[in-house]
Amino acid sequence: MVKPIALGAGIGLLTFLAVNRVDIWPVVLVIGLGGVLYASGITGRLNLASGQRRQASLPNIEFSDIGGQNTAKSELQEALEALRRPQAYAALGIRPLKGILLIGPPGTGKTLLAKAAAHYTQAAFVFASGSEFVEMYAGVGAQRVRQLFQAARNSAKKEGRGSAIIFIDEIEVMAGKRGQHQSHLEYDQTLNQLLVEMDGITTEEDVQVLVMAATNRADLLDQALTRPGRFDRVVRVDLPDREGRRRILELHTRNKPLAPGVDLDAVARETFGLSGAHLESVCNEAAILALREGQTAISSDHFQSSVDKVLLGEKLDRQLREQEIRRVAVHEGGHALVSEWLVPGSVSSVTIAPRGMALGFVRQAPADDRLLETEAELRHDICVCLAGSAAERLLLGEASTGATSDFEKAWEIARRMIFAGLSELGIVQEEAVSADVLYQTVHRIMERERDRVEGFLQSRAPWLETLASRLVAEETLDGNSVRQLMAQPGIA
Ligand code: ATP
């Protein structure tokens, strides 16, 4: 009622001023600007309202649907007992657990764990992302935090549940260290409001609220957030180990027909360093390949190709010139021979089919996950990196730009060696090593390994020649073909 009266009075006043030849444009401009700001405030609220609609009443995910992550799962389950047996906890005067922070690389299942936690505790589940709270206008972020907590309580009451889980993904976006942002007042207000809401959680409420948050940049978080009484449980969600990867592959092939002979354990062995999200993609891509070929079941070859695709990108129809094809074959042949020489059985396949950014590649078959690396292993890796350009120089007279990324990788490994105390410098601290000393030391490591690689390839030039010619003719060779060639006494 007040709004129409104010609007009428305003229009009347403007007409009166205009009739009396007063310049009304500055006033109109100010009112217009105010209108825009007001409207954006409304939009902000509307956005949040739609965000709130992303409440899943009860997520359909259970802990058994998550592969690996056994430690994270058991830590979480133990922490969630407070929500499952509130009376027992209250009887002993235990304060409620207010927040659980999940820390780990992208795609490792943090969102899945939060959903499974809601299922496990039969709690209402409300999801938000840290970026939804970041606004230019002061106060909007804080208001959204209040609304989020309110939405969680309302949703639990509506569904007749005693608890609610609020999951905030990418929390570092809204809860970074205070005073560091350009528009820090707004950021600080948003974070302060989150702290206030978390401090306000008590056991006396009808709905027990638990905040779960995920980040892969825990170092950016404000310390006030991780102090006891707020996020006092920190659960690490790491990349899955081999057993975890096998379990994840099993979960994501539950609804897919597998051809006889498909060994998911072997796929798990070849996918060291991949996250759950990558593995889901491997399974999906393998099924797509099977469909493209008109097959009714997914074979081992489909898995091999899909691992390559997820690691390196789609196979390209790029037409290389004849000399380029030979150069790539010599380069990849060099990598493969040195890899087999240093670690017999380490080559799974070698190809000169371009994929993603790579013109060819050697697929290594790691026997086991490598969590610790010895000096010898790191030196082997450097040798394999340097072998491509050494092979080109040996057979073609000069190297090419094709080795740029190999050198970057070798350089990075040498740096790791130095700061792990595995170089001639002994145990060193990063800040204490000047750029010049670092350069000289890396350079000496490289020279030594390059000499070794060149010596080996020179003495085995016929192997390299044969391998390169076969690659030009056949495009892809498996590890066994490389090993058979190296076992022929006549060639070397
Ligand atoms: P981000 O940090 O990027 O938000 P996240 O850690 O929250 O990632 P999720 O969103 O939980 O990762 O996982 C993405 C997808 O990857 C899931 O939908 C699922 O298909 C798959 N996935 C990841 N981890 C696992 C796992 N441990 N078991 C089964 N599937 C998984």
Side-chain angles (χ1 to χ4, degrees), residues 341-382:
W341 166 52
L342 293 170
V343 187
S346 60
V347 173
S348 165
S349 65
V350 45
T351 178
I352 58 165
R355 213 178 244 286
M357 297 296 289
L359 295 178
F361 63 96
V362 173
R363 184 124 84 95
Q364 306 266 343
D368 269 311
D369 294 2
R370 260 166 56 172
L371 298 177
L372 285 176
E373 294 168 306
T374 64
E375 183 185 339
E377 285 169 340
L378 291 167
R379 285 188 182 276
H380 288 172
D381 290 348
I382 293 178

Side-chain angles (χ1 to χ4, degrees), residues 27-42:
V27 182
V28 171
L29 211 70
V30 169
I31 292 175
L33 210 67
V36 170
L37 287 180
Y38 178 72
S40 58
I42 290 180

Side-chain angles (χ1 to χ4, degrees), residues 65-67 69 105-112 169 216 248 251-252 276-277 280:
D65 295 323
I66 302 173
Q69 307 300 359
T108 42
K110 298 183 289 299
T111 309
L112 290 183
D169 202 4
N216 35 51
I248 295 173
L251 286 169
H252 288 289
E280 188 274 337

Side-chain angles (χ1 to χ4, degrees), residues 86-334:
Q87 284 89 359
Y89 276 66
L92 283 175
I94 301 173
R95 71 168 166 74
L97 182 69
K98 297 177 181 180
I100 300 178
L101 186 62
L102 306 174
I103 301 179
T108 42
K110 298 183 289 299
T111 309
L112 290 183
L113 283 167
K115 287 185 176 169
H119 190 100
Y120 185 66
T121 53
Q122 295 290 299
F125 184 73
V126 182
F127 172 92
S129 167
S131 52
E132 288 172 40
F133 300 89
V134 179
E135 273 288 343
M136 252 163 64
Y137 309 113
V140 176
Q143 187 192 8
R144 289 183 184 173
V145 172
R146 271 195 300 278
Q147 289 178 342
L148 182 68
F149 277 75
Q150 200 48 54
R153 291 189 173 99
N154 290 347
S155 160
K157 277 185 196 150
K158 212 167 86 193
E159 293 165 20
R161 302 186 187 283
S163 54
I165 290 184
I166 297 175
F167 177 60
I168 306 177
D169 202 4
E170 298 177 339
I171 191 161
E172 74 280 0
V173 180
M174 67 180 290
K177 295 190 175 98
R178 279 173 288 186
Q180 290 194 345
H181 283 278
Q182 266 191 332
S183 58
H184 59 85
L185 193 66
E186 166 57 3
Y187 272 91
D188 296 356
Q189 277 187 12
T190 308
L191 173 55
N192 287 340
Q193 189 59 43
L194 179 64
L195 300 179
V196 167
E197 292 291 344
M198 290 188 74
D199 289 345
I201 296 174
T202 63
T203 26
E204 278 86 60
E205 286 185 278
D206 303 342
V207 175
Q208 189 63 55
V209 176
L210 172 72
V211 184
M212 291 185 72
T215 182
N216 35 51
R217 291 299 309 272
D219 53 313
L220 296 181
L221 293 180
D222 193 290
Q223 280 185 355
L225 204 67
T226 42
R227 79 141 172 77
R230 287 177 187 142
F231 283 104
D232 44 8
R233 284 295 162 97
V234 175
V235 175
R236 286 213 61 87
V237 189
D238 283 320
L239 288 170
D241 59 10
R242 185 169 140 194
E243 180 53 31
R245 294 198 295 278
R246 191 183 52 78
R247 182 76 194 115
I248 295 173
L249 289 166
E250 272 171 15
L251 286 169
H252 288 289
T253 46
R254 271 188 303 200
N255 60 350
K256 298 179 175 64
L258 300 184
V262 169
D263 180 2
L264 292 181
D265 203 31
V267 182
R269 217 175 320 131
E270 293 201 357
T271 45
F272 174 71
L274 295 199
S275 68
H278 280 123
L279 295 170
E280 188 274 337
S281 180
V282 164
C283 298
N284 205 42
E285 289 297 337
I288 292 173
L289 285 175
L291 183 77
R292 262 193 219 158
E293 289 177 10
Q295 311 281 331
T296 49
I298 308 170
S299 68
S300 298
D301 285 351
H302 296 137
F303 274 106
Q304 282 249 337
S305 304
S306 72
V307 170
D308 290 344
K309 185 172 170 194
V310 170
L311 286 175
L312 297 152
E314 182 70 88
K315 218 171 182 172
L316 303 176
D317 277 338
R318 209 182 288 160
Q319 285 300 319
L320 297 184
R321 288 176 295 146
E322 210 171 293
Q323 309 98 294
E324 284 175 330
I325 293 178
R326 174 153 162 78
R327 185 171 284 281
V328 177
V330 170
H331 184 107
E332 298 307 330

